[in-house]
Amino acid sequence: MILQVKKTMIYERCSVLDFFHRKLSYPAQDEYKKTKNLFLSLKFTHEDIIELKESAKLDSICYYQKGIQTLCEAILNIDKSLYSWATVKLYYSIFYFLRATTICYNYIIVRWVDLYYIQLLINNSPTNNLLSKIRNDHAFTCCFYDKIINSNDIFNTNLIEDKHPYKWIREQREYTNYKKKYFTDPSPWEYWINFNRISTQKLKEYINLFIEDAHSREFLYCFQPEYACLALPIARAIETRRLLNNYINCQDEILNNGKIFLAQIDNHNLLNPLLDILISH
């Protein structure tokens, strides 16, 4: 007789969501809808804003670590000519980097039944103005940067094939996941043709080129469709690091998390130029 033991996964709420649980007296999962109006009626005090900013800082470090790991895994996939799964991971890395920098613009994003954003000013309340029809976390975040952050994000100042860059890369992920009958690896599709069965050395040269481009802030490659699948996430990662340096004093946390991550990966030579910037600086 085989006994099936039900395992309970440990759910760790993000720090911002923890704040709202405390604020609304720890509602149970099935009570979210009952407290939605109370959530929407919140008016934030000076003390609330201070606590939310500290909570958002902790969440930013977590999102940033996820972004780095996902980006590195994607690059290692490209090195093995696994372009399909790399595309999915590159899109996810951008999502994580965007969530990491939301606080740098003095906003937070939170789900309480639906998705909302909050500008961290005294007496403000949660809102989803312009974004109320969006239910998906990824789409909400990308559209939030498009419509709310707008030109304050450097990557909103140009287009890729007449599309907002984050929407463009989201469509590449959707094409890979939903519009192809099967993964065609190791054969790339049009946007990966320059990386067709690329050598590790050539891939490293491309990474260095995209790093230099992002550092110069010329952004010559991240808006070109034949390079954007990799160049845009790398540029977004470096911009995220720059914003975190300017707005959040979190170097110790990033370095400690980075050391744990570095101990888990093999191909340091390929990833070192990027990791030196994203972790060590």
Side-chain angles (χ1 to χ4, degrees), residues 2 15-16 19 27 38 43 50 56 59 83 107 127 135-136 139 144 164 192 213 234 239-241 244 268:
I2 299 175
S15 298
V16 164
F19 167 87
L38 186 58
K43 299 285 186 182
I50 292 174
D59 292 340
Y83 310 104
Y107 283 89
T127 181
R135 300 289 179 264
N136 177 278
F144 168 80
H164 180 275
W192 284 109
D213 185 49
I234 287 176
E239 179 68 4
T240 298
R241 186 65 167 110
L244 292 179
H268 285 270

Side-chain angles (χ1 to χ4, degrees), residues 60-250:
S60 290
I61 296 166
C62 296
Y63 281 123
Y64 184 63
Q65 186 271 337
K66 287 182 177 180
I68 293 173
Q69 185 165 341
T70 309
L71 174 58
C72 289
E73 288 176 358
I75 291 171
L76 295 177
N77 284 156
I78 297 167
D79 192 42
K80 297 174 182 176
S81 298
L82 301 175
Y83 310 104
S84 299
W85 201 236
T87 304
V88 175
K89 290 179 179 178
L90 289 165
Y91 166 72
Y92 275 109
S93 76
I94 283 185
F95 165 73
Y96 290 132
F97 289 133
L98 291 178
R99 289 301 297 265
T101 52
T102 305
I103 186 58
C104 300
Y105 299 100
N106 209 39
Y107 283 89
I108 57 173
I109 294 174
V110 63
R111 178 183 288 279
W112 200 271
V113 183
D114 297 316
L115 284 157
Y116 299 92
Y117 61 88
I118 303 163
Q119 188 175 19
L120 296 180
L121 298 173
I122 295 173
N123 289 326
N124 266 9
S125 297
T127 181
N128 54 14
N129 186 35
L130 302 178
L131 305 173
S132 60
K133 295 181 180 180
I134 303 174
R135 300 289 179 264
N136 177 278
D137 289 69
H138 302 148
F140 187 95
T141 300
C142 292
C143 290
F144 168 80
Y145 271 79
D146 179 17
K147 297 181 181 298
I148 309 303
I149 303 301
N150 204 272
S151 59
N152 288 317
D153 176 10
I154 189 69
F155 301 105
N156 284 336
T157 61
N158 210 333
L159 301 173
I160 304 175
E161 297 185 315
D162 297 322
K163 295 176 181 176
H164 180 275
Y166 304 137
K167 180 180 180 182
W168 182 88
I169 200 163
R170 187 169 79 245
E171 288 182 354
Q172 306 317 307
R173 176 255 182 175
E174 291 171 351
Y175 171 74
T176 302
N177 264 3
Y178 310 126
K179 298 181 181 180
K180 293 172 69 178
K181 290 178 68 175
Y182 49 85
F183 290 163
T184 57
D185 309 316
S187 299
W189 62 98
E190 57 182 310
Y191 297 123
W192 284 109
I193 203 68
N194 287 333
F195 300 85
N196 187 14
R197 300 176 192 253
I198 194 170
S199 69
T200 299
Q201 180 56 37
K202 183 62 178 176
L203 178 56
K204 188 174 182 180
E205 290 173 9
Y206 270 128
I207 291 170
N208 286 331
L209 183 65
F210 299 154
I211 289 172
E212 184 178 333
D213 185 49
H215 263 314
S216 69
R217 300 182 68 75
E218 292 183 0
F219 302 118
L220 299 176
Y221 295 96
C222 62
F223 299 114
Q224 296 182 38
E226 62 269 32
Y227 297 110
C229 281
L230 180 56
L232 179 61
I234 287 176
R236 179 66 255 182
I238 293 172
E239 179 68 4
T240 298
R241 186 65 167 110
R242 186 187 71 81
L243 286 167
L244 292 179
N245 280 348
N246 290 343
Y247 291 92
I248 301 174
N249 182 19
C250 56

